[in-house]
Structure formats: C-alpha cells, structure tokens
Amino acid sequence: MFAPALRRRASVLLAALAAVGLAAGCSRAQESTPAAPASTSPATELRLGYFPNITHAPALIGVAQNYFAEELGSGTKLTTQTFNAGPDEVNALLGGSLDVAFIGSSPAINAFAKSNGEAVRLVAGSTSAGAQLVTSPDITTPDQLKGKIIATPQAGNTQDVALKKWLKENNLEIGEGPDKVTVQNIDNPRTLDLFKQGQVAGGWLPEPWSSRLVDAGAKVLVDEKSLWPDGKFPTTVVIVRTQFLQEHPQSVEALLRGELKAVDFATANTDQAKTITNDSIKQITNSSLSQPVLDRAFSELSFDSDPLASTFPQLSKDSVTAGATPKETNLQGFVDVTALNAVRQAAGQTPVDAADLDKQG
C-alpha cells in the first residue's frame, strides 16, 4: 500500500536532483564560458567634460556649433561640465559622473593606472602641443629658477608632469629654499594674477594661459614642442568610461563624428574658430582673450583626432619621473581606436595605429 506513495516521492526526489544538477551545470558553463556581450543601444544621455582652454578648442567648438548634439541625435541628451585641470576630471570619470572627457595625456594615463586598466579607454586625440614654461624675462637659464615659485594647474596634470620631469633632467631639486624650485599648483587665472603681482616667477601652462602670461610680460623659457620629435605630443585626448564604450559604442562614434567636424572646422576656418572658442571661454569664465593672445595661442598648437599613441610609453615613464605615478603603467588595452577608425575611414581619412601599445609589456 505504500509502494505508490514511495514511487511518487522517489520521482519527486529524482526530479529535484536533476534540476539541481542542471542548475549546477549551467553555473559551471557560465563560469567557463565568457558571457555574451549585452545588447548595445544609443545612450539616453552622454555626460561630457572639457576645459575652457584653447587646447580644448575642438570640444568648445563641438558644443557651440552643436556638432556633438546633432551627431548624437534627439534620443541622446548631451550634458556638459567644465574643469580646470585633469585630476578633478579623472575623479569625476572614476566616480561615474562623467562618460567622456577631453583631458590631458598624463591624467588619462593616471585614470587607467588607478583603475588597474579597467575604468577608461583612450578613444581619440584632439590637440597637439600648446604648452610652455613661461617666466619673468630676467630668467634665462634653468639654474636661475632656484629659489623661485613656478606654477602648474594641478598636481599630476599634464603640465605638472612635464615641468617636474624637466626640472629633474636639469638637476634642479623641487622644494622650498634658495637652492630649490618651488612648484605650486594654482588655478590658471590665479597664476596670471600672481605673476602680475610678482608672487610667482612663471608657470608651465597650457594655452591660452602661457600666451596670457607672455602678454603680461613673461618670456618663453621652454617650449614643450622642442622636447618631442617633430614637435608633436598629445596635449589633449579623449577618454571614455569603459562601461559606457561597451554599452553605447554608437554614441561614442557619434561624438567622434562631431569631433571630426570640429577639428575640420578649426583647421579650415581659423578666424571663425578663434571667435567661437573665445566666445565659449568668455561664457564659461566671464573673461575673454585679447586678439594678440588668441592669435598667439592658436599658432602654438594643432588639432587632430590622432591620439599619437606611440608617445604614451614615454609619457608613462615621465609620470614616474615626476612622481605622479609610483611605477610605469602597462598600457596594454589603454587605447581603443575602433570607433575612431570607423569614423575616420567613413570621412576618407587614414586610420590611426595603436600597435605600439598593444606590444608593450
């Protein structure tokens, strides 16, 4: 009389065991097989960061001329935020409050290093050159910087790294005292004021601030172009949160199409580009540039979406020399120019190469 009940319980038990086994099998399969990529779609919002600097002219033009917004389309809201220096922008990216950033090369490397190569990808270039060490005219040699205060925008930013590396190469110790060079991190507008007051001897600054100090009486002690082959080095690049790039590659391509339009405009219509950039800077900072400063700043740099990837191993070494990072960053995986090359090829431009970084390590 118990046999049917026992059989029913046995069947239930076997079914349960089979279900458990199937679940375990699925779990092991998921562990051993990479998960399929999630379906991608255009972003509902793209949060973009950049600086009110001439070195970020493609970003300023792209926003002002609606190139970014038009390429993103009505389904994607473009939200913008401006910064004074790269480290603050890195914090915004790593904190998840930015998706894409026009940023200096050194902070870009630092963002990659701080996240163990996971959080960001370099997807494009923007601006080359446009940074100088400008000082009071009585300083004509590196040794004359001893006992002086030299400004940079922020600790660990691109110009800060460049200055500290150059000081060490010239056997100049950083610190306070008559035989050392004091490096102070000061917001660019404040540096200009302090230079006029004689409280700082100069600064290693991006455009337009180096030109603004020159307009105020400074002289160029070091043009950073002189330190690089062919005078080319990446002053401003474009980085994206890795998750955003994976989930919304269409939106990244759209933004880069907008950047190409801005770069082409800046190259082909220099006078208009100057005006638009200057108007944008005034809108953000409540201060516009004089025509001589504007002309000089534009003449010191060039615009291109090529990120100059081959320079980044040296830039990584420079960050260590300057003390911005504790060790050289392995840059494998840092550069992803897939979207950029799709956009460049569609525009009839030559693809860029990141092979040097892929071989690093």
Side-chain angles (χ1 to χ4, degrees):
M1 63 181 293
F2 297 105
L6 286 171
R7 281 197 296 272
R8 282 195 298 272
R9 283 198 291 270
S11 298
V12 171
L13 178 61
L14 287 170
L17 288 171
V20 170
L22 180 61
C26 289
S27 177
R28 285 192 295 272
Q30 289 169 352
E31 290 173 359
S32 59
T33 304
S39 60
T40 62
S41 62
T44 57
E45 181 182 21
L46 188 150
R47 299 165 299 176
L48 176 67
Y50 54 93
F51 303 175
N53 283 356
I54 299 295
T55 52
H56 288 233
L60 295 165
I61 293 169
V63 171
Q65 295 289 91
N66 291 317
Y67 292 146
F68 297 144
E70 288 172 358
E71 291 295 338
L72 287 168
S74 59
T76 301
K77 178 184 178 182
L78 177 66
T79 304
T80 63
Q81 184 176 353
T82 59
F83 297 82
N84 177 68
D88 287 340
E89 198 172 21
V90 166
N91 290 337
L93 275 165
L94 299 185
S97 61
L98 274 187
D99 301 312
V100 185
F102 284 75
I103 196 168
S105 53
S106 293
I109 293 171
N110 293 345
F112 186 73
K114 286 174 68 174
S115 65
N116 296 314
E118 296 180 359
V120 300
R121 294 292 180 264
L122 173 64
V123 297
S126 171
T127 307
S128 173
Q132 298 172 328
L133 171 58
V134 292
T135 63
S136 54
D138 58 302
I139 298 174
T140 58
T141 67
D143 278 350
Q144 289 176 310
L145 293 174
K146 291 178 179 178
K148 301 292 195 302
I149 298 173
I150 301 297
T152 65
Q154 193 170 20
N157 97 307
T158 304
Q159 289 76 46
D160 187 70
V161 168
L163 171 62
K164 290 173 179 175
K165 178 207 174 189
W166 181 83
L167 290 173
K168 290 188 177 182
E169 287 180 341
N170 282 274
N171 300 312
L172 293 169
E173 190 175 351
I174 299 169
E176 295 183 2
D179 295 322
K180 300 178 181 179
V181 180
T182 301
V183 177
Q184 285 191 2
N185 307 124
I186 306 170
D187 287 352
N188 293 322
R190 182 65 177 150
T191 295
L192 177 60
D193 292 339
L194 293 174
F195 178 78
K196 290 178 177 178
Q197 297 164 13
Q199 295 185 42
V200 299
W204 197 300
L205 304 171
E207 292 294 357
W209 297 101
S210 54
S211 288
R212 295 194 78 169
L213 262 70
V214 168
D215 189 58
K219 300 294 183 184
V220 177
L221 185 63
V222 180
D223 189 332
E224 194 169 346
K225 285 189 291 189
S226 67
L227 307 179
W228 290 93
D230 301 322
K232 292 185 177 181
F233 62 97
T235 304
T236 308
V237 296
V238 184
I239 61 175
V240 180
R241 283 194 304 110
T242 306
Q243 182 180 356
F244 188 88
L245 178 61
Q246 292 171 342
E247 294 177 353
H248 309 294
Q250 307 98 316
S251 298
V252 174
E253 280 196 27
L255 186 86
L256 295 180
R257 285 196 299 271
E259 189 205 6
L260 252 64
K261 286 184 176 180
V263 166
D264 289 345
F265 182 88
T267 304
N269 306 279
T270 305
D271 288 341
Q272 287 178 271
K274 290 176 184 177
T275 300
I276 293 168
T277 302
N278 202 16
D279 289 346
S280 297
I281 290 173
K282 182 179 181 180
Q283 185 177 8
I284 296 166
T285 67
N286 296 317
S287 177
S288 61
L289 306 174
S290 68
Q291 195 62 45
V293 168
L294 193 62
D295 291 341
R296 183 185 184 279
F298 261 80
S299 72
E300 291 296 325
L301 43 80
S302 61
F303 307 113
D304 195 331
S305 62
D306 185 348
L308 303 174
S310 63
T311 63
F312 276 85
Q314 182 60 53
L315 289 165
S316 178
K317 292 177 183 177
D318 293 349
S319 289
V320 177
T321 302
T325 53
K327 62 179 181 179
E328 187 176 344
T329 302
N330 186 329
L331 296 171
Q332 283 186 306
F334 177 47
V335 176
D336 185 345
V337 290
T338 306
L340 175 62
N341 280 338
V343 169
R344 285 177 67 102
Q345 286 181 304
Q349 297 182 13
T350 305
V352 300
D353 187 15
D356 289 344
L357 296 188
D358 292 338
K359 295 173 184 176
Q360 189 190 10

